[in-house]
Amino acid sequence: MMWQEISYWGKKLAQNNLVASRFGNISVRTEKGLMIKKTGVFLDEIEGPEDVIEVSIASSRIPPEASSETTSHQAIYLATDARAIIHAHPQFAIIESLLCESEIRPLDSEGLPFLNTIPIVDGESGSKELYDALTGIFASHKVKGVVNRGHGSFAIGPDLRDCFNTTAMIEHSSKIKYFYDLAKR
C-alpha cells in the first residue's frame, strides 16, 4: 500500500530531524496522478489511507484537504520523470539558503560528488513563483535536490528512498558547510 510507504519515510524524516511538527510533504506518482499527505497531518503520524489523498497531476482543482504544496508537486511531476518527491525542512539547509546567494556548495567528500551544488530558489510556499522556479531547475539542470530559500528542501527521484537519501545529503552537506564557515571566522 502506497500510504504505508509514505508513512515509513515520513517517520524516517522525523527521526532524522529533517522535519518538525506537521511541516513537510511526501508524494508518489500514481497511475491516476499523485498520492500526497493531507494538510495538517504530521509526517510521523500517517497511520492509514485517510491521512493521504490522491490528486490529479494536471487538475487545477485541488481538494482543500490536500497539502498546501500540492501545486508544486504537480508542476514537478509534469516537468520531470520523477516518481517521488520529498519536501522537508532540514534546519541547516534552511540556514544556508539564507546565507548563500544562489546555491549551496558542499565541501564534504560525500556531498560534492553526489550533489555537486544545491540550487537555491525563491518563492512563497505553494506559490506559482515557487513551482515555476522548482520546475525550471529540476527540468533544465538535472539536479536531484533544491532548497527553497528560508523554507525547505525538495528532492525528486525514482522512489522515496532515493529522495530521502538526497534530503539527508543536503542537510549533511549544509551542516558541514555551516560549521566550516563558522570555524573560519
Side-chain angles (χ1 to χ4, degrees):
M1 298 259 185
M2 201 167 301
W3 74 264
Q4 291 171 319
E5 184 180 358
I6 292 171
S7 173
Y8 174 82
W9 292 106
K11 286 176 177 55
K12 292 279 284 186
L13 287 167
Q15 290 165 356
N16 287 276
N17 297 315
L18 296 170
V19 294
S21 184
R22 67 181 186 278
F23 304 119
N25 290 288
I26 296 175
S27 71
V28 178
R29 190 187 293 252
T30 66
E31 288 182 21
K32 297 178 184 177
L34 66 104
M35 184 77 63
I36 193 164
K37 174 190 82 74
K38 286 185 177 178
T39 191
V41 174
F42 288 52
L43 279 172
D44 61 346
E45 294 182 358
I46 298 169
E47 300 299 331
E50 67 278 359
D51 295 325
V52 297
I53 186 168
E54 190 165 24
V55 178
S56 167
I57 286 180
S59 176
S60 61
R61 292 175 29 130
I62 308 297
E65 64 271 21
S67 163
S68 61
E69 288 294 346
T70 300
T71 52
S72 296
H73 288 242
Q74 287 174 311
I76 292 167
Y77 285 125
L78 287 169
T80 70
D81 62 354
R83 305 288 309 155
I85 300 170
I86 288 180
H87 165 57
H89 293 252
Q91 294 174 335
F92 284 92
I94 293 170
I95 292 167
E96 285 298 310
S97 77
L98 296 169
L99 295 172
C100 299
E101 289 288 322
S102 62
E103 63 187 16
I104 301 166
R105 305 188 125 246
L107 304 172
D108 57 300
S109 62
E110 290 84 15
L112 193 56
F114 183 78
L115 298 168
N116 191 15
T117 60
I118 307 158
I120 299 169
V121 297
D122 292 305
E124 294 294 317
S125 177
S127 71
K128 183 173 178 356
E129 178 188 7
L130 175 59
Y131 63 80
D132 284 347
L134 289 168
T135 57
I137 292 286
F138 281 129
S140 65
H141 290 78
K142 302 298 181 199
V143 297
K144 297 174 77 166
V146 173
V147 179
N148 177 213
R149 190 178 313 279
H151 180 198
S153 62
F154 285 82
I156 65 170
D159 54 42
L160 290 174
R161 176 186 211 69
D162 189 71
C163 294
F164 177 85
N165 189 42
T166 299
T167 302
M169 285 301 304
I170 289 171
E171 179 66 347
H172 175 77
S173 292
S174 295
K175 188 174 186 178
I176 297 292
K177 182 177 181 333
Y178 176 81
F179 283 117
Y180 174 82
D181 290 344
L182 188 63
K184 280 189 350 186
R185 291 184 192 178

